Amino acid sequence: MKIHHPGRPEDLPEASVLWARWAALAAATWNAEEEKERFRHGYWFDGSDALRYDDGACSRWVLIRADGGRAVVFGQDDSSKVARYEPPIDLLAGAPGWVRDERVHDLLEQGRVECVYWFEDGSWHRAPYPDDLHDDGLDCGIGHLTSREHAVDAICALLEFDEDCEGAMEVCEQFFEHAERGTVTDEVVRSFADEVFRIQTEYELLWPEAPVARSETDLAAMTTLARRR
């Protein structure tokens, strides 16, 4: 699906689907050592009600769930023109009170948010933009989460799978399908992890550091994360 520049509310999937894909990426790349880091990058659940993504360079995003199926996604990507636009754009114009979360407000005050979308009553919304604003960073930031195809491409890249890795795209596609349908089980996660290990070993990925099979602790953590809804 093509993402508009700047983004539009209809570019984003339903909030629960966005959450499921984000959580699946976090589960697939879960790393026990990174959980201990204060400053980190990648995809992770922050222990409250939010999923986070930081590419370690120019993109930082947060997805927060609220009661009643509501959600808010906000962040910043260097492709955004919002911070440099004059006069300043009020990113919370028209936003209901629940969106004005302390975390959102604090980051806005620090200039670390240039994009805010909220989900309510089955639809995404955002503040009005000037007609000549060229980009708000949505596409470069989280465009890979707007369709399953893009999400599969993203996870394959993270796992270093390419088109020569037989079965790689299929196993990633199946994992996202389970996440979106809410059918992730211990067996689903174990099968996914085993296939990832098999493919990385067979095609000598990650070498000279050999791939490592997931431990029982890893599998339990991955299952918990992928099943959060």
Side-chain angles (χ1 to χ4, degrees):
M1 181 175 68
K2 175 181 171 61
I3 307 299
H4 296 88
H5 288 201
R8 299 177 185 175
E10 61 266 27
D11 292 335
L12 290 168
E14 197 269 336
S16 65
V17 174
L18 181 63
W19 180 277
R21 290 176 185 156
W22 202 317
L25 275 161
T29 56
W30 192 87
N31 183 296
E33 290 302 315
E34 289 182 356
E35 291 295 310
K36 304 172 185 176
E37 298 292 332
R38 181 180 178 186
F39 302 104
R40 58 181 298 182
H41 64 271
Y43 305 82
W44 73 97
F45 182 71
D46 73 2
S48 58
D49 56 356
L51 285 166
R52 295 180 177 268
Y53 166 57
D54 189 324
D55 72 351
C58 60
S59 208
R60 295 151 294 276
W61 296 83
V62 182
L63 173 61
I64 298 175
R65 295 186 297 184
D67 294 337
R70 298 173 299 176
V72 56
V73 61
F74 58 92
Q76 178 190 56
D77 186 275
D78 283 0
S79 64
S80 175
K81 310 300 181 186
V82 171
R84 297 182 290 279
Y85 193 89
E86 291 294 340
I89 300 170
D90 180 4
L91 294 176
L92 295 182
W98 66 268
V99 173
R100 301 172 186 273
D101 182 278
E102 182 177 344
R103 287 166 290 185
V104 180
H105 183 269
D106 288 348
L107 290 171
L108 279 168
E109 289 294 308
Q110 297 168 31
R112 295 173 57 193
V113 172
E114 297 183 46
C115 187
V116 180
Y117 288 72
W118 57 92
F119 187 84
E120 188 173 44
D121 297 328
S123 300
W124 286 101
H125 311 269
R126 64 158 168 76
Y129 286 163
D131 291 339
D132 60 346
L133 178 70
H134 298 301
D135 202 348
D136 64 354
L138 184 73
D139 186 13
C140 287
I142 57 172
H144 60 287
L145 294 170
T146 58
S147 75
R148 190 186 299 175
E149 179 182 1
H150 292 332
V152 169
D153 288 342
I155 199 171
C156 283
L158 288 170
L159 297 173
E160 301 191 14
F161 294 161
D162 60 29
E163 59 185 14
D164 294 327
C165 297
E166 185 177 352
M169 292 194 68
E170 289 78 6
V171 72
C172 292
E173 167 84 24
Q174 290 170 7
F175 190 57
F176 276 112
E177 181 178 358
H178 279 292
E180 291 175 27
R181 292 171 56 187
T183 55
V184 174
T185 62
D186 294 345
E187 292 74 20
V188 166
V189 172
R190 183 179 298 277
S191 176
F192 171 76
D194 287 348
E195 276 297 288
V196 168
F197 177 68
R198 180 192 66 77
I199 294 168
Q200 289 179 332
T201 301
E202 179 177 344
Y203 290 91
E204 297 187 345
L205 304 178
L206 308 181
W207 298 87
E209 179 182 349
V212 177
R214 289 290 192 172
S215 68
E216 292 299 320
T217 301
D218 285 350
L219 294 172
M222 291 168 65
T223 302
T224 299
L225 183 51
R227 293 177 66 176
R228 290 186 183 275
R229 297 187 65 79

